[in-house]
Amino acid sequence: MARTLPRPPATREQSLRVQDTVCPHCGRATWSAYVSRRTVSTLAGVTALRVYVRCCRNDDCPRYGRPCRPEAEGRVALPQHEFGLDVVALVGALRYQQHRSVPEIHKDLLGRGLTVCERTVTNLLDRYDELVAVRLGDGTRLRGLLAAQGRVILAIDGLQPDVGHEVLWVLRDCLSGEVLLARSLLSSTEKDLAELVEQVKRDLALVGRGKRGRRSKAGAEPGVPIVGAVSDGQHSVRNAVARALPGVPHQLCHFHYLREAATPVYEMDRHAKKELKKHVRGVRPIERRVEARAAAGDDQAQAVLGYCAAVRSAVTDDGRPPLDASGLKLHGRLTAVAASLDAVAAAKGGSRPSCRS
Ligand SMILES: [Zn+2]
């Protein structure tokens, strides 16, 4: 039965931007062109995608005016698809690994909160079959398209619907958005993944050649090179790319890249915070000493309690490194407390005792 209810509203939002803002053909900076909005049903919920599309504005470039879509878009969903690639991977796993029937898969998807009709499950299963059947060597359309494009930026994504399931590895071209190879693997070692990359490399090397390996055009150099790779930077993928595509630049997803770059900053900041905290221990005994006087209305004692509260809140406050480092924040706040104490001491004509005493 077809779906009788409209698709539920999006429960989450995701913005996707092009990571490489340089035209892959002419090397000039691309311009922001438009924002395309897509709503995709994924296992994590109905996602409203904001896709920031760029394009080359160099009149002499063959890619002039052609859209450059974010590299990560193909990981979320196939072009023009209403359902996420993770849902397609799950449907395939349920059918071929767990041998479930279409009504059973339908029930499973409903149980995961997806609004889907039974006929769509059949369509999703067809998409899965098509995906794993894609073979670059066989498709004239794909070969023609890639030959005209002249280069490929390879994205490698592993989709694991559930822990313990096989992983669906999808190798696609970021420039055209076309899937070049998809395989479901139980083990995803460096060797297994390198074989997939090499398969694509072999197929691409034959693009532009005639059926018997002859060059199709006199003088034309056959084969389409892989000029770059994009992945989430998982170790096995990184090693596989290094093995199968030596010398080809491999870009990690920006989120993972930033996270890795931030690790040393985070460690240093944590250490600084720990060291700073050592200097302001013993707030509680000071508080205890003046509590009675403060309760009796002594101004000086109340001021001391105020300072103690300031130090206490500075020590317990946390930040979000690396952009909002808690060690730096603590340093700033303690410096402010110390400056204030110095001002009080100067007004009284004495000097501030050291923090440790
Ligand atoms: Zn260009």
Side-chain angles (χ1 to χ4, degrees):
M1 200 181 97
R3 187 176 73 201
T4 51
L5 293 169
R7 185 163 51 178
T11 52
R12 54 201 293 272
E13 272 188 32
Q14 198 178 353
S15 293
L16 299 174
R17 290 172 197 274
V18 178
Q19 292 183 11
D20 190 0
T21 53
V22 159
C23 170
H25 201 94
C26 68
R28 293 221 199 148
T30 52
W31 291 35
S32 274
Y34 53 91
V35 181
S36 137
R37 288 163 206 274
R38 287 178 75 181
T39 304
V40 178
S41 296
T42 68
L43 294 179
V46 180
T47 307
L49 286 181
R50 288 168 68 89
V51 184
Y52 292 83
V53 182
R54 302 179 73 90
C55 75
C56 178
R57 290 291 195 92
N58 171 13
D59 300 3
D60 304 326
C61 176
R63 279 191 72 86
Y64 172 80
R66 299 243 311 271
C68 294
R69 300 184 74 92
E71 296 85 348
E73 189 184 7
R75 187 195 164 89
V76 182
L78 295 168
Q80 324 288 339
H81 271 226
E82 187 190 349
F83 283 88
L85 202 49
D86 55 353
V87 180
V88 177
L90 174 68
V91 168
L94 292 174
R95 180 76 192 99
Y96 297 110
Q97 288 157 42
Q98 302 189 11
H99 309 289
R100 307 254 204 107
S101 66
V102 168
E104 283 170 341
I105 298 172
H106 181 221
K107 216 171 138 192
D108 187 294
L109 294 182
L110 291 179
R112 290 169 192 257
L114 280 157
T115 304
V116 61
C117 67
E118 208 173 293
R119 197 171 58 193
T120 305
V121 176
T122 317
N123 293 341
L124 288 169
L125 204 51
D126 290 344
R127 291 297 89 75
Y128 179 87
D129 292 338
E130 282 165 17
L131 200 61
V132 292
V134 170
R135 182 68 206 285
L136 187 54
D138 308 331
T140 0
R141 181 192 69 89
L142 197 50
R143 287 167 63 123
L145 189 148
L146 295 175
Q149 188 177 283
R151 72 201 67 211
V152 159
I153 293 176
L154 191 67
I156 304 155
D157 297 313
L159 295 130
Q160 190 172 32
D162 277 329
V163 180
H165 275 179
E166 286 184 1
V167 180
L168 177 66
W169 288 95
V170 179
L171 283 74
R172 60 191 163 81
D173 168 37
C174 288
L175 299 178
S176 59
E178 295 284 345
V179 173
L180 306 180
L181 183 73
R183 288 284 175 277
S184 200
L185 298 179
L186 192 53
S187 91
S188 304
T189 61
E190 176 192 330
K191 189 170 159 280
D192 299 324
L193 297 176
E195 269 168 28
L196 294 185
V197 178
E198 291 200 354
Q199 176 69 56
V200 171
K201 198 172 141 189
R202 273 198 301 275
D203 289 340
L204 284 172
L206 294 176
V207 172
R209 279 179 189 267
K211 275 208 168 140
R212 289 180 192 160
R214 277 194 225 115
R215 290 184 181 192
S216 47
K217 271 188 222 155
E221 199 53 50
V224 176
I226 299 173
V227 296
V230 184
S231 79
D232 65 359
Q234 209 182 306
H235 272 283
S236 50
V237 181
R238 254 192 261 183
N239 294 341
V241 170
R243 186 161 154 171
L245 303 171
V248 171
H250 183 181
Q251 163 134 32
L252 307 184
C253 147
H254 271 200
F255 169 72
H256 292 90
Y257 197 79
L258 261 184
R259 198 176 58 182
E260 295 223 343
T263 305
V265 176
Y266 171 72
E267 289 300 331
M268 273 150 61
D269 181 67
R270 207 174 56 162
H271 178 73
K273 188 176 180 185
K274 197 178 80 191
E275 292 299 312
L276 276 172
K277 273 182 163 179
K278 283 185 191 166
H279 291 278
V280 287
R281 276 190 195 138
V283 170
R284 187 66 197 128
I286 300 172
E287 284 175 334
R288 232 178 264 140
R289 241 188 288 160
V290 295
E291 257 163 9
R293 273 166 58 202
D298 184 322
D299 286 348
Q300 223 175 20
Q302 278 172 357
V304 171
L305 279 189
Y307 278 113
C308 289
V311 170
R312 196 182 281 285
S313 96
V315 169
T316 48
D317 228 8
D318 238 336
R320 286 173 146 212
L323 301 177
D324 186 13
S326 52
L328 282 178
K329 203 156 130 188
L330 176 60
H331 182 262
R333 291 177 71 166
L334 290 181
T335 309
V337 170
S340 168
L341 283 171
D342 280 340
V344 172
K348 288 221 162 195
S351 71
R352 169 174 58 94
S354 134
C355 290
R356 277 177 192 255
S357 59

